[in-house]
Amino acid sequence: MTTDPASHPAPETVTDAVQLLDSMGYDSTVTVADRAVHCSSCGSAYSPDDIVVHHTFRFEGPSDPGDEAIVLGIEIPSCGARGVIVSAYGPDADPEFLHVVAALSR
């Protein structure tokens, strides 16, 4: 398992970023709801303050603001799960989802 994204070409698409993180072991299913990150591995919900962001990839469409997305490779230290969060940002972002992503990005 490779753990250094610098040893790979920079991802050009959201799909490339997700595949890269998956190859690095970010393979637990995590979801965002109710201003929390939910982990399917342990079944718990966590505040953004309990999450560590290891990798961030931002994508901007050449002309369409609707193409803006962010991909985060995260870890939940208390249970050891590592997963990927993908979100739109900009005008198309879900405000509640964006609240969690913004809190994670601090």
Coordinates of all heavy atoms in Angstrom, one line a residue:
M1 N 0.8 -1.2 0.0 CA 0.0 0.0 0.0 C 0.9 1.2 0.0 O 1.7 1.4 0.8 CB -0.9 0.0 1.2 CG -1.7 1.2 1.4 SD -2.6 1.3 3.0 CE -3.3 -0.3 3.1
T2 N 0.7 2.1 -0.9 CA 1.4 3.4 -1.0 C 0.8 4.4 -0.1 O -0.4 4.6 -0.1 CB 1.5 3.9 -2.5 OG1 2.0 2.9 -3.3 CG2 2.3 5.1 -2.6
T3 N 1.6 5.2 0.6 CA 1.0 6.2 1.5 C 1.4 7.6 1.2 O 1.1 8.5 1.9 CB 1.4 5.8 3.0 OG1 2.8 5.8 3.1 CG2 0.9 4.5 3.4
D4 N 2.2 7.8 0.2 CA 2.7 9.1 -0.2 C 2.1 9.6 -1.5 O 2.5 9.1 -2.6 CB 4.2 9.1 -0.3 CG 4.8 10.5 -0.6 OD1 4.0 11.5 -0.6 OD2 6.0 10.5 -0.9
P5 N 1.1 10.5 -1.5 CA 0.5 11.0 -2.7 C 1.5 11.7 -3.6 O 1.3 11.7 -4.8 CB -0.6 11.9 -2.3 CG -0.2 12.4 -0.9 CD 0.6 11.2 -0.3
A6 N 2.7 12.1 -3.1 CA 3.7 12.8 -3.9 C 4.3 11.8 -4.9 O 4.9 12.2 -5.8 CB 4.7 13.5 -3.0
S7 N 4.2 10.5 -4.6 CA 4.8 9.5 -5.4 C 3.9 9.2 -6.6 O 4.3 8.4 -7.5 CB 5.1 8.2 -4.7 OG 4.0 7.6 -4.2
H8 N 2.8 9.8 -6.7 CA 1.8 9.6 -7.8 C 1.6 10.9 -8.6 O 1.8 12.0 -8.0 CB 0.4 9.2 -7.3 CG 0.5 7.9 -6.5 ND1 0.4 6.7 -7.1 CD2 0.6 7.7 -5.2 CE1 0.4 5.8 -6.2 NE2 0.6 6.3 -5.0
P9 N 1.2 10.9 -9.8 CA 0.9 12.1 -10.5 C -0.3 12.8 -9.8 O -1.1 12.1 -9.3 CB 0.5 11.6 -11.9 CG 0.9 10.2 -12.0 CD 1.1 9.7 -10.7
A10 N -0.4 14.1 -9.9 CA -1.5 14.8 -9.3 C -2.8 14.3 -10.0 O -2.8 14.3 -11.2 CB -1.3 16.3 -9.4
P11 N -3.8 14.0 -9.2 CA -5.1 13.6 -9.8 C -5.7 14.8 -10.6 O -5.6 15.9 -10.2 CB -6.0 13.3 -8.6 CG -5.2 13.5 -7.4 CD -3.9 14.1 -7.7
E12 N -6.2 14.4 -11.8 CA -6.8 15.4 -12.7 C -8.3 15.5 -12.5 O -8.9 16.5 -13.0 CB -6.4 15.1 -14.1 CG -4.9 15.3 -14.4 CD -4.5 15.1 -15.8 OE1 -5.4 15.2 -16.7 OE2 -3.3 14.9 -16.1
T13 N -8.9 14.5 -11.9 CA -10.3 14.5 -11.8 C -10.7 14.0 -10.4 O -9.9 13.5 -9.7 CB -11.0 13.5 -12.8 OG1 -10.6 12.2 -12.5 CG2 -10.6 13.8 -14.2
V14 N -11.9 14.2 -10.0 CA -12.4 13.8 -8.7 C -12.3 12.2 -8.6 O -11.8 11.7 -7.6 CB -13.9 14.2 -8.5 CG1 -14.5 13.5 -7.3 CG2 -14.0 15.7 -8.4
T15 N -12.6 11.5 -9.7 CA -12.5 10.1 -9.7 C -11.0 9.7 -9.5 O -10.8 8.7 -8.7 CB -13.0 9.5 -11.1 OG1 -14.4 9.9 -11.2 CG2 -12.9 8.0 -11.1
D16 N -10.1 10.3 -10.1 CA -8.7 10.0 -9.9 C -8.3 10.2 -8.5 O -7.5 9.4 -7.9 CB -7.8 10.9 -10.8 CG -7.9 10.7 -12.3 OD1 -8.4 9.6 -12.7 OD2 -7.4 11.5 -13.1
A17 N -8.7 11.3 -7.8 CA -8.4 11.5 -6.4 C -9.0 10.5 -5.5 O -8.3 10.0 -4.6 CB -8.9 12.9 -6.0
V18 N -10.2 10.1 -5.8 CA -10.9 9.0 -5.0 C -10.1 7.7 -5.1 O -9.8 7.0 -4.1 CB -12.3 8.9 -5.3 CG1 -13.0 7.7 -4.6 CG2 -13.1 10.2 -4.9
Q19 N -9.7 7.4 -6.3 CA -9.0 6.1 -6.6 C -7.6 6.2 -5.9 O -7.2 5.2 -5.4 CB -8.9 5.9 -8.1 CG -10.2 5.5 -8.7 CD -10.1 5.3 -10.2 OE1 -9.2 5.8 -10.9 NE2 -11.2 4.7 -10.8
L20 N -6.9 7.3 -6.0 CA -5.6 7.4 -5.4 C -5.8 7.2 -3.8 O -5.0 6.4 -3.2 CB -5.0 8.8 -5.6 CG -3.8 9.1 -4.9 CD1 -2.6 8.1 -5.2 CD2 -3.3 10.6 -5.2
L21 N -6.7 7.9 -3.2 CA -6.9 7.7 -1.8 C -7.3 6.3 -1.4 O -6.8 5.8 -0.4 CB -7.9 8.8 -1.3 CG -7.5 10.2 -1.3 CD1 -8.6 11.2 -1.1 CD2 -6.3 10.4 -0.3
D22 N -8.1 5.7 -2.2 CA -8.5 4.3 -2.0 C -7.3 3.4 -2.0 O -7.1 2.5 -1.1 CB -9.6 3.8 -3.0 CG -10.1 2.4 -2.7 OD1 -10.7 2.2 -1.6 OD2 -9.8 1.6 -3.5
S23 N -6.4 3.6 -2.9 CA -5.2 2.8 -3.0 C -4.2 3.1 -1.9 O -3.4 2.3 -1.6 CB -4.4 3.1 -4.4 OG -3.8 4.4 -4.3
M24 N -4.4 4.2 -1.2 CA -3.6 4.5 0.0 C -4.3 4.1 1.3 O -3.8 4.4 2.4 CB -3.4 6.0 0.1 CG -2.6 6.5 -1.1 SD -2.6 8.4 -1.3 CE -2.1 8.9 0.4
G25 N -5.4 3.3 1.2 CA -6.1 2.8 2.4 C -7.2 3.6 2.9 O -7.7 3.3 4.0
Y26 N -7.6 4.6 2.2 CA -8.8 5.4 2.6 C -10.0 4.8 2.0 O -10.6 5.2 1.1 CB -8.6 6.9 2.2 CG -7.5 7.6 2.9 CD1 -6.2 7.5 2.4 CD2 -7.8 8.4 4.0 CE1 -5.2 8.2 3.1 CE2 -6.8 9.0 4.7 CZ -5.5 8.9 4.2 OH -4.4 9.6 4.9
D27 N -10.4 3.7 2.7 CA -11.4 2.8 2.1 C -12.6 2.6 3.0 O -13.5 1.8 2.6 CB -10.8 1.5 1.6 CG -10.1 0.8 2.7 OD1 -10.1 1.2 3.9 OD2 -9.5 -0.3 2.4
S28 N -12.7 3.2 4.1 CA -13.9 3.0 5.0 C -15.0 4.0 4.5 O -14.7 5.1 3.9 CB -13.6 3.4 6.4 OG -12.7 2.5 7.0
T29 N -16.2 3.6 4.6 CA -17.3 4.4 4.2 C -17.6 5.4 5.2 O -17.9 5.0 6.4 CB -18.6 3.5 3.9 OG1 -18.2 2.6 2.8 CG2 -19.7 4.4 3.4
V30 N -17.5 6.7 4.9 CA -17.9 7.8 5.8 C -18.9 8.6 5.1 O -18.8 8.8 3.8 CB -16.7 8.6 6.2 CG1 -15.7 7.8 7.1 CG2 -15.9 9.1 5.1
T31 N -19.8 9.1 5.8 CA -20.9 10.0 5.2 C -21.0 11.3 6.1 O -20.6 11.2 7.3 CB -22.2 9.3 5.1 OG1 -22.6 8.8 6.4 CG2 -22.2 8.2 4.2
V32 N -21.6 12.3 5.6 CA -21.8 13.5 6.3 C -23.3 13.7 6.4 O -24.0 13.7 5.4 CB -21.1 14.7 5.6 CG1 -21.5 16.0 6.3 CG2 -19.6 14.5 5.6
A33 N -23.8 13.9 7.6 CA -25.2 14.2 7.9 C -25.3 14.8 9.3 O -24.5 14.5 10.2 CB -26.0 12.9 7.8
D34 N -26.3 15.7 9.4 CA -26.6 16.3 10.7 C -25.4 16.9 11.3 O -25.1 16.8 12.5 CB -27.2 15.2 11.7 CG -28.4 14.6 11.1 OD1 -29.2 15.3 10.5 OD2 -28.6 13.3 11.3
R35 N -24.6 17.6 10.5 CA -23.4 18.3 10.9 C -22.3 17.4 11.6 O -21.6 17.8 12.5 CB -23.7 19.5 11.8 CG -24.5 20.5 11.0 CD -24.6 21.8 11.7 NE -25.3 22.8 10.8 CZ -25.0 24.0 10.8 NH1 -24.1 24.5 11.6 NH2 -25.6 24.8 10.0
A36 N -22.3 16.2 11.2 CA -21.4 15.2 11.8 C -20.9 14.3 10.7 O -21.5 14.2 9.6 CB -22.0 14.4 12.9
V37 N -19.7 13.6 10.9 CA -19.2 12.6 10.1 C -19.5 11.2 10.6 O -19.3 11.0 11.8 CB -17.6 12.7 9.9 CG1 -17.1 11.6 9.1 CG2 -17.3 14.1 9.3
H38 N -20.2 10.4 9.8 CA -20.7 9.1 10.3 C -19.8 8.0 9.7 O -19.5 8.0 8.5 CB -22.1 8.9 9.9 CG -23.1 9.9 10.5 ND1 -23.8 9.6 11.6 CD2 -23.4 11.1 10.1 CE1 -24.5 10.7 11.9 NE2 -24.3 11.6 11.0
C39 N -19.3 7.1 10.6 CA -18.4 6.1 10.1 C -19.1 4.7 10.1 O -19.7 4.3 11.1 CB -17.2 6.0 11.1 SG -16.1 4.6 10.8
S40 N -19.1 4.1 9.0 CA -19.8 2.8 8.9 C -19.0 1.7 9.5 O -19.5 0.6 9.9 CB -20.1 2.4 7.4 OG -18.8 2.2 6.7
S41 N -17.7 1.9 9.7 CA -16.8 0.8 10.3 C -17.1 0.6 11.8 O -17.2 -0.5 12.3 CB -15.3 1.2 10.2 OG -14.9 1.2 8.9
C42 N -17.4 1.7 12.5 CA -17.7 1.6 13.9 C -19.1 2.0 14.3 O -19.5 1.7 15.4 CB -16.7 2.5 14.8 SG -16.9 4.2 14.6
G43 N -19.8 2.6 13.3 CA -21.2 2.9 13.6 C -21.4 4.2 14.4 O -22.5 4.5 14.8
S44 N -20.4 5.0 14.6 CA -20.5 6.2 15.4 C -20.5 7.4 14.5 O -20.1 7.4 13.4 CB -19.4 6.3 16.4 OG -19.4 5.2 17.3
A45 N -21.0 8.5 15.1 CA -20.9 9.9 14.5 C -19.9 10.7 15.2 O -19.8 10.6 16.4 CB -22.3 10.5 14.5
Y46 N -19.2 11.5 14.5 CA -18.1 12.3 15.0 C -18.3 13.8 14.6 O -18.6 14.1 13.5 CB -16.8 11.8 14.6 CG -16.5 10.4 15.0 CD1 -16.8 9.3 14.3 CD2 -15.9 10.2 16.3 CE1 -16.6 8.0 14.7 CE2 -15.7 8.9 16.7 CZ -16.0 7.8 15.9 OH -15.8 6.6 16.4
S47 N -17.9 14.7 15.5 CA -17.8 16.1 15.3 C -16.6 16.3 14.3 O -15.6 15.6 14.4 CB -17.6 16.8 16.6 OG -17.0 18.1 16.3
P48 N -16.7 17.3 13.5 CA -15.5 17.6 12.6 C -14.2 17.8 13.5 O -13.1 17.6 13.0 CB -15.9 18.9 11.9 CG -17.4 18.9 11.9 CD -17.8 18.2 13.2
D49 N -14.4 18.3 14.7 CA -13.2 18.4 15.6 C -12.5 17.1 15.9 O -11.3 17.1 16.3 CB -13.6 19.1 16.9 CG -14.1 20.6 16.7 OD1 -13.7 21.2 15.7 OD2 -14.8 21.0 17.5
D50 N -13.2 16.0 15.7 CA -12.6 14.7 16.1 C -12.0 14.0 14.8 O -11.5 12.9 14.9 CB -13.7 13.8 16.6 CG -14.4 14.3 17.8 OD1 -13.7 14.9 18.7 OD2 -15.6 14.1 18.0
I51 N -12.0 14.7 13.7 CA -11.5 14.2 12.4 C -10.1 14.8 12.1 O -9.9 16.0 12.3 CB -12.5 14.4 11.3 CG1 -13.9 14.0 11.7 CG2 -12.0 13.8 10.0 CD1 -14.0 12.5 11.9
V52 N -9.3 14.0 11.5 CA -8.0 14.5 11.0 C -8.0 14.4 9.4 O -8.3 13.4 8.9 CB -6.8 13.7 11.5 CG1 -5.5 14.2 10.9 CG2 -6.7 13.7 13.0
V53 N -7.8 15.6 8.8 CA -7.7 15.6 7.3 C -6.2 15.5 6.9 O -5.4 16.3 7.3 CB -8.3 16.9 6.8 CG1 -8.1 17.0 5.3 CG2 -9.7 17.1 7.2
H54 N -6.0 14.4 6.2 CA -4.6 14.1 5.7 C -4.3 14.6 4.3 O -3.2 15.0 4.0 CB -4.3 12.6 5.8 CG -4.2 12.1 7.1 ND1 -3.1 12.3 8.0 CD2 -5.0 11.3 7.8 CE1 -3.3 11.6 9.1 NE2 -4.5 11.0 9.1
H55 N -5.4 14.6 3.5 CA -5.2 15.0 2.1 C -6.4 15.8 1.6 O -7.5 15.5 1.9 CB -5.0 13.8 1.2 CG -3.9 12.9 1.6 ND1 -2.6 13.1 1.4 CD2 -4.0 11.7 2.3 CE1 -1.9 12.2 1.9 NE2 -2.7 11.3 2.4
T56 N -6.1 16.9 0.8 CA -7.2 17.7 0.3 C -6.9 17.9 -1.2 O -5.7 18.3 -1.6 CB -7.2 19.1 1.0 OG1 -7.4 18.9 2.4 CG2 -8.3 19.9 0.4
F57 N -7.9 17.7 -2.0 CA -7.7 18.0 -3.5 C -8.9 18.8 -3.9 O -10.1 18.5 -3.6 CB -7.8 16.7 -4.3 CG -6.7 15.7 -3.9 CD1 -6.9 14.6 -3.1 CD2 -5.4 15.9 -4.5 CE1 -5.9 13.7 -2.8 CE2 -4.4 15.0 -4.1 CZ -4.7 13.9 -3.3
R58 N -8.7 20.0 -4.5 CA -9.7 20.8 -5.0 C -9.7 20.8 -6.5 O -8.7 20.8 -7.2 CB -9.5 22.3 -4.5 CG -9.8 22.4 -3.0 CD -9.6 23.8 -2.6 NE -10.5 24.7 -3.3 CZ -10.9 25.8 -2.8 NH1 -10.4 26.3 -1.6 NH2 -11.7 26.6 -3.4
F59 N -10.9 20.8 -7.1 CA -11.1 20.8 -8.5 C -12.0 21.9 -8.9 O -13.1 22.1 -8.3 CB -11.7 19.5 -9.0 CG -10.8 18.3 -8.7 CD1 -10.9 17.6 -7.5 CD2 -9.8 17.9 -9.5 CE1 -10.1 16.6 -7.1 CE2 -8.9 16.9 -9.2 CZ -9.1 16.2 -8.0
E60 N -11.6 22.7 -9.9 CA -12.4 23.8 -10.5 C -12.7 23.5 -11.9 O -11.7 23.3 -12.7 CB -11.7 25.1 -10.2 CG -11.5 25.4 -8.7 CD -10.8 26.7 -8.5 OE1 -10.7 27.5 -9.5 OE2 -10.5 26.9 -7.3
G61 N -13.9 23.6 -12.3 CA -14.2 23.5 -13.8 C -13.7 24.7 -14.5 O -13.6 25.8 -14.0
P62 N -13.3 24.5 -15.8 CA -12.7 25.6 -16.5 C -13.7 26.8 -16.8 O -13.3 27.9 -16.8 CB -12.3 25.0 -17.9 CG -13.1 23.7 -17.9 CD -13.4 23.3 -16.5
S63 N -15.0 26.5 -16.8 CA -15.9 27.6 -17.1 C -17.2 27.5 -16.3 O -18.0 28.5 -16.3 CB -16.2 27.7 -18.6 OG -16.8 26.5 -19.0
D64 N -17.5 26.4 -15.7 CA -18.7 26.2 -15.0 C -18.5 26.1 -13.5 O -17.9 25.1 -13.0 CB -19.4 24.9 -15.5 CG -20.7 24.6 -14.9 OD1 -21.2 25.4 -14.1 OD2 -21.3 23.5 -15.3
P65 N -19.0 27.0 -12.7 CA -18.9 27.0 -11.3 C -19.5 25.7 -10.7 O -19.1 25.3 -9.6 CB -19.6 28.2 -10.8 CG -19.7 29.1 -11.9 CD -19.7 28.2 -13.1
G66 N -20.4 25.1 -11.4 CA -21.0 23.8 -10.9 C -20.1 22.6 -10.9 O -20.4 21.6 -10.4
D67 N -18.9 22.8 -11.5 CA -17.9 21.8 -11.6 C -16.9 21.8 -10.4 O -16.0 21.0 -10.3 CB -17.1 21.9 -12.9 CG -17.9 21.5 -14.1 OD1 -18.9 20.8 -14.0 OD2 -17.4 21.8 -15.2
E68 N -17.1 22.7 -9.5 CA -16.2 22.8 -8.3 C -16.5 21.7 -7.3 O -17.6 21.5 -6.9 CB -16.4 24.2 -7.7 CG -16.0 25.3 -8.6 CD -16.3 26.7 -8.0 OE1 -17.2 26.8 -7.1 OE2 -15.7 27.7 -8.4
A69 N -15.4 21.0 -6.9 CA -15.5 19.9 -6.0 C -14.2 19.9 -5.1 O -13.2 20.4 -5.5 CB -15.7 18.6 -6.7
I70 N -14.4 19.3 -3.9 CA -13.3 19.1 -3.0 C -13.3 17.6 -2.6 O -14.4 17.0 -2.4 CB -13.4 20.0 -1.8 CG1 -12.1 19.9 -1.0 CG2 -14.6 19.8 -1.0 CD1 -12.0 21.0 0.1
V71 N -12.2 17.0 -2.5 CA -12.0 15.6 -2.1 C -11.1 15.6 -0.8 O -10.0 16.1 -0.9 CB -11.4 14.7 -3.2 CG1 -11.3 13.3 -2.7 CG2 -12.3 14.8 -4.4
L72 N -11.5 15.0 0.2 CA -10.8 15.0 1.5 C -10.4 13.5 1.8 O -11.3 12.7 1.8 CB -11.5 15.6 2.6 CG -12.0 17.0 2.5 CD1 -12.9 17.4 3.6 CD2 -10.8 18.0 2.4
G73 N -9.2 13.2 2.2 CA -8.8 12.0 2.7 C -8.7 12.1 4.2 O -7.9 12.9 4.7
I74 N -9.6 11.5 5.0 CA -9.7 11.8 6.4 C -9.4 10.5 7.2 O -9.5 9.4 6.7 CB -11.1 12.3 6.8 CG1 -12.2 11.2 6.6 CG2 -11.5 13.6 6.0 CD1 -13.5 11.4 7.4
E75 N -9.1 10.8 8.5 CA -9.0 9.7 9.5 C -9.8 10.0 10.7 O -9.8 11.2 11.1 CB -7.5 9.5 9.8 CG -7.3 8.4 10.8 CD -5.8 8.2 11.2 OE1 -5.0 9.0 10.7 OE2 -5.5 7.2 11.9
I76 N -10.4 9.0 11.3 CA -11.1 9.1 12.6 C -10.2 8.4 13.6 O -10.2 7.2 13.7 CB -12.5 8.5 12.5 CG1 -13.3 9.1 11.4 CG2 -13.2 8.6 13.9 CD1 -14.6 8.4 11.1
P77 N -9.4 9.2 14.3 CA -8.4 8.5 15.2 C -9.0 7.6 16.3 O -8.4 6.6 16.6 CB -7.7 9.7 15.9 CG -7.9 10.8 14.9 CD -9.2 10.6 14.3
S78 N -10.2 7.9 16.8 CA -10.7 7.1 17.9 C -11.1 5.7 17.4 O -11.1 4.8 18.2 CB -11.9 7.8 18.5 OG -12.9 8.0 17.6
C79 N -11.4 5.5 16.1 CA -11.7 4.1 15.7 C -10.7 3.6 14.6 O -10.8 2.5 14.2 CB -13.1 4.0 15.2 SG -13.4 4.8 13.6
G80 N -9.8 4.5 14.1 CA -8.8 4.1 13.2 C -9.3 4.1 11.7 O -8.5 3.8 10.8
A81 N -10.6 4.4 11.5 CA -11.1 4.4 10.1 C -10.5 5.5 9.3 O -10.3 6.6 9.8 CB -12.6 4.4 10.1
R82 N -10.2 5.2 8.0 CA -9.8 6.2 7.0 C -10.7 6.2 5.9 O -11.0 5.1 5.3 CB -8.4 6.0 6.6 CG -7.4 6.1 7.8 CD -6.0 6.1 7.5 NE -5.5 5.4 6.3 CZ -4.3 5.5 5.8 NH1 -3.5 6.3 6.2 NH2 -4.0 4.7 4.7
G83 N -11.2 7.3 5.4 CA -12.2 7.3 4.3 C -12.1 8.6 3.5 O -11.2 9.4 3.7
V84 N -13.0 8.7 2.6 CA -13.0 9.9 1.6 C -14.3 10.6 1.7 O -15.4 10.0 1.8 CB -12.8 9.3 0.2 CG1 -12.9 10.5 -0.8 CG2 -11.4 8.6 0.1
I85 N -14.2 11.9 1.7 CA -15.4 12.8 1.6 C -15.3 13.6 0.4 O -14.2 14.2 0.1 CB -15.5 13.7 2.9 CG1 -15.8 12.9 4.1 CG2 -16.6 14.7 2.6 CD1 -15.8 13.7 5.4
V86 N -16.3 13.6 -0.4 CA -16.4 14.3 -1.7 C -17.5 15.3 -1.6 O -18.6 14.9 -1.2 CB -16.6 13.4 -2.9 CG1 -16.6 14.2 -4.2 CG2 -15.5 12.4 -3.0
S87 N -17.3 16.6 -1.9 CA -18.3 17.6 -1.8 C -18.2 18.6 -2.9 O -17.1 18.9 -3.3 CB -18.2 18.3 -0.5 OG -19.2 19.4 -0.4
A88 N -19.3 19.1 -3.4 CA -19.3 20.2 -4.2 C -19.0 21.4 -3.3 O -19.2 21.4 -2.1 CB -20.7 20.4 -4.9
Y89 N -18.5 22.5 -3.9 CA -18.3 23.7 -3.2 C -18.7 24.9 -4.1 O -18.9 24.6 -5.3 CB -17.0 23.9 -2.5 CG -15.8 24.1 -3.4 CD1 -15.4 25.4 -3.8 CD2 -15.1 23.0 -3.9 CE1 -14.3 25.5 -4.6 CE2 -14.0 23.2 -4.8 CZ -13.6 24.5 -5.1 OH -12.5 24.6 -5.9
G90 N -18.8 26.0 -3.6 CA -19.3 27.1 -4.4 C -20.8 27.2 -4.4 O -21.4 26.7 -3.5
P91 N -21.4 27.7 -5.4 CA -22.8 28.0 -5.5 C -23.7 26.7 -5.4 O -24.8 26.8 -5.0 CB -23.0 28.7 -6.8 CG -21.8 28.5 -7.6 CD -20.7 28.2 -6.6
D92 N -23.1 25.6 -5.8 CA -23.9 24.3 -5.8 C -23.8 23.5 -4.5 O -24.4 22.4 -4.4 CB -23.5 23.5 -7.0 CG -23.9 24.1 -8.3 OD1 -24.8 24.9 -8.3 OD2 -23.3 23.7 -9.4
A93 N -23.0 24.0 -3.6 CA -22.8 23.2 -2.4 C -24.0 23.2 -1.5 O -24.7 24.2 -1.3 CB -21.6 23.7 -1.6
D94 N -24.3 22.0 -0.8 CA -25.3 21.9 0.2 C -24.8 22.6 1.4 O -23.7 22.3 1.9 CB -25.5 20.4 0.5 CG -26.5 20.1 1.6 OD1 -26.7 21.0 2.5 OD2 -27.0 19.0 1.7
P95 N -25.5 23.6 1.9 CA -25.0 24.4 3.1 C -24.6 23.6 4.3 O -23.6 23.9 4.9 CB -26.1 25.4 3.4 CG -26.9 25.5 2.1 CD -26.8 24.1 1.5
E96 N -25.4 22.6 4.6 CA -25.1 21.8 5.8 C -23.9 21.0 5.6 O -23.0 20.9 6.5 CB -26.3 20.9 6.2 CG -26.0 20.2 7.5 CD -27.3 19.7 8.2 OE1 -28.3 20.4 8.1 OE2 -27.2 18.7 8.9
F97 N -23.8 20.4 4.4 CA -22.6 19.6 4.1 C -21.4 20.5 4.1 O -20.3 20.1 4.6 CB -22.8 18.9 2.7 CG -21.9 17.7 2.5 CD1 -22.3 16.5 2.8 CD2 -20.7 17.9 1.8 CE1 -21.4 15.4 2.5 CE2 -19.9 16.9 1.6 CZ -20.2 15.6 1.9
L98 N -21.5 21.6 3.5 CA -20.4 22.6 3.4 C -19.9 23.0 4.8 O -18.7 23.2 5.0 CB -20.8 23.8 2.5 CG -19.7 24.7 2.0 CD1 -18.6 23.9 1.3 CD2 -20.2 25.8 1.2
H99 N -20.9 23.2 5.7 CA -20.5 23.5 7.1 C -19.5 22.5 7.7 O -18.5 22.9 8.2 CB -21.8 23.6 8.0 CG -21.5 23.7 9.4 ND1 -21.2 24.9 10.0 CD2 -21.4 22.8 10.4 CE1 -20.9 24.7 11.3 NE2 -21.1 23.4 11.5
V100 N -19.8 21.2 7.5 CA -18.9 20.2 8.0 C -17.6 20.2 7.2 O -16.5 20.2 7.8 CB -19.5 18.8 7.9 CG1 -18.5 17.7 8.2 CG2 -20.8 18.7 8.8
V101 N -17.6 20.3 5.9 CA -16.3 20.4 5.1 C -15.5 21.6 5.5 O -14.3 21.5 5.7 CB -16.7 20.4 3.6 CG1 -15.4 20.6 2.8 CG2 -17.3 19.0 3.2
A102 N -16.2 22.7 5.7 CA -15.4 23.9 6.2 C -14.8 23.7 7.5 O -13.6 24.1 7.8 CB -16.3 25.1 6.2
A103 N -15.5 23.1 8.4 CA -15.0 22.8 9.8 C -13.8 21.8 9.7 O -12.8 22.0 10.4 CB -16.0 22.3 10.7
L104 N -13.9 20.9 8.8 CA -12.8 19.9 8.6 C -11.5 20.6 8.0 O -10.4 20.2 8.3 CB -13.2 18.7 7.7 CG -14.2 17.8 8.3 CD1 -14.7 16.8 7.1 CD2 -13.6 17.0 9.4
S105 N -11.7 21.6 7.2 CA -10.6 22.2 6.5 C -9.9 23.2 7.3 O -8.9 23.8 6.9 CB -11.2 22.9 5.2 OG -11.7 21.9 4.4
R106 N -10.3 23.5 8.5 CA -9.6 24.4 9.4 C -8.3 23.9 9.9 O -8.1 22.8 10.1 CB -10.5 24.8 10.6 CG -11.6 25.7 10.3 CD -12.3 26.2 11.5 NE -13.7 25.9 11.3 CZ -14.5 25.7 12.2 NH1 -14.2 25.7 13.5 NH2 -15.8 25.4 12.0

